[in-house]
Amino acid sequence: MCVEQDKPRILVVEDESSLARFLQLELGHEGYRVEVAADGREAVDRIAGECWDLVLLDVMLPGLDGFEVCRRIRECSGVPVIMLTARGATPDKVRGLDAGADDYLTKPFATEELLARVRARLRRAPAAIKSSNKLIAGGLVIHYDTRQVERGGQNISLTKREFDLLAYLAENTGIVLSRETILNHVWGYDYYGDTNVVDVYIRYLRAKIDEPFPARLLHTVRGVGYTLREED
């Protein structure tokens, strides 16, 4: 949990005031602490500057749409995101998941199904603790301001790209990320090189943060991609 209280904190990003209020009341009744953002830009600012356990994100928003909001969230946070939308076509779902959403629920939806998905996502939330300048995940301490990394009390020297890759994996601790997703978020959407570059940099990281230590953190999920997690 990202804050020192026992109630998960949820941000509802929804411009339809009646639905936003309904979600706030229903989730609040379940014991969650719920706040509302009415547009995409407000949502991005609040997620970047505050700590949340889950985001419920509408697609059709003023300013930035939900797909762009989700993409920007993934640049700064691994918080679970459930997208809510009336656009239930498969290409829209794929676009939302490719933008970094963890789940996708089509309107109108049953309240019981929404609550079940919220509970499921909170159970799977990444085991990472992030403040404004430091991330702690899997025994790693990642300092954003100095771009230093520590494991087991040892400082680990990384290049800029290695640091960016490790930070992105750590922010999504426990989540399997495809090569394409990693490439888009670490190398940028305008990168047109081979996705094998991800494999190369994973090997570089393993040599520095895994091989000198008894337990692995970087894991390959064959046919899918990579994840950072502590070994059981």
Side-chain angles (χ1 to χ4, degrees):
M1 193 141 328
C2 67
V3 290
E4 295 178 359
Q5 298 189 38
D6 58 356
K7 294 181 179 180
R9 191 173 184 223
I10 297 175
L11 181 66
V12 173
V13 187
E14 171 62 64
D15 64 319
E16 185 182 334
S17 58
S18 59
L19 178 56
R21 181 59 177 161
F22 170 78
L23 292 171
Q24 190 171 29
L25 290 173
E26 289 294 325
L27 292 164
H29 182 71
E30 295 296 312
Y32 303 118
R33 292 175 299 124
V34 186
E35 297 182 39
V36 174
D39 64 68
R41 295 189 185 280
E42 178 188 357
V44 170
D45 290 342
R46 295 196 64 181
I47 291 164
E50 304 175 46
C51 199
W52 304 92
D53 294 291
L54 182 75
V55 176
L56 294 179
L57 176 62
D58 187 29
V59 168
M60 302 301 290
L61 293 169
L64 302 175
D65 68 21
F67 300 123
E68 178 63 16
V69 171
C70 193
R71 187 184 70 79
R72 295 193 186 191
I73 288 173
R74 286 293 170 254
E75 292 176 354
C76 66
S77 174
V79 62
V81 175
I82 300 177
M83 298 194 84
L84 306 176
T85 179
R87 298 166 62 171
T90 297
D92 289 320
K93 293 181 180 181
V94 170
R95 186 180 175 192
L97 295 170
D98 282 345
D102 299 278
D103 204 352
Y104 203 105
L105 193 57
T106 303
K107 301 175 184 177
F109 48 81
T111 304
E112 293 78 7
E113 181 180 3
L114 171 65
L115 294 175
R117 291 182 185 236
V118 167
R119 289 192 297 268
R121 284 299 147 190
L122 288 172
R123 285 195 300 269
R124 301 171 192 166
I129 302 172
K130 184 178 181 181
S131 65
S132 59
N133 62 354
K134 182 170 68 174
L135 175 72
I136 301 173
L140 292 169
V141 182
I142 299 172
H143 300 272
Y144 290 97
D145 49 357
T146 61
R147 300 182 71 83
Q148 294 293 312
V149 174
E150 302 169 19
R151 184 177 183 189
Q154 298 183 34
N155 290 323
I156 300 171
S157 177
L158 300 178
T159 66
K160 179 184 183 301
R161 189 73 73 188
E162 290 168 351
F163 180 92
D164 292 342
L165 174 57
L166 181 62
Y168 182 59
L169 291 167
E171 288 163 5
N172 292 277
T173 298
I175 298 174
V176 180
L177 301 168
S178 69
R179 290 172 178 81
E180 290 76 14
T181 297
I182 294 171
L183 205 62
N184 287 338
H185 285 82
V186 178
W187 275 261
Y189 286 85
D190 56 351
Y191 178 83
Y192 294 104
D194 198 319
T195 58
N196 286 341
V197 70
V198 176
D199 304 322
V200 171
Y201 273 83
I202 289 288
R203 289 200 297 271
Y204 293 162
L205 281 181
R206 281 183 169 145
K208 294 182 178 182
I209 71 165
D210 271 354
E211 292 176 9
F213 300 92
R216 287 190 305 153
L217 291 178
L218 294 172
H219 300 266
T220 302
V221 179
R222 190 173 300 277
V224 183
Y226 297 102
T227 184
L228 186 148
R229 61 174 171 79
E230 292 184 277
E231 289 186 312
D232 296 333

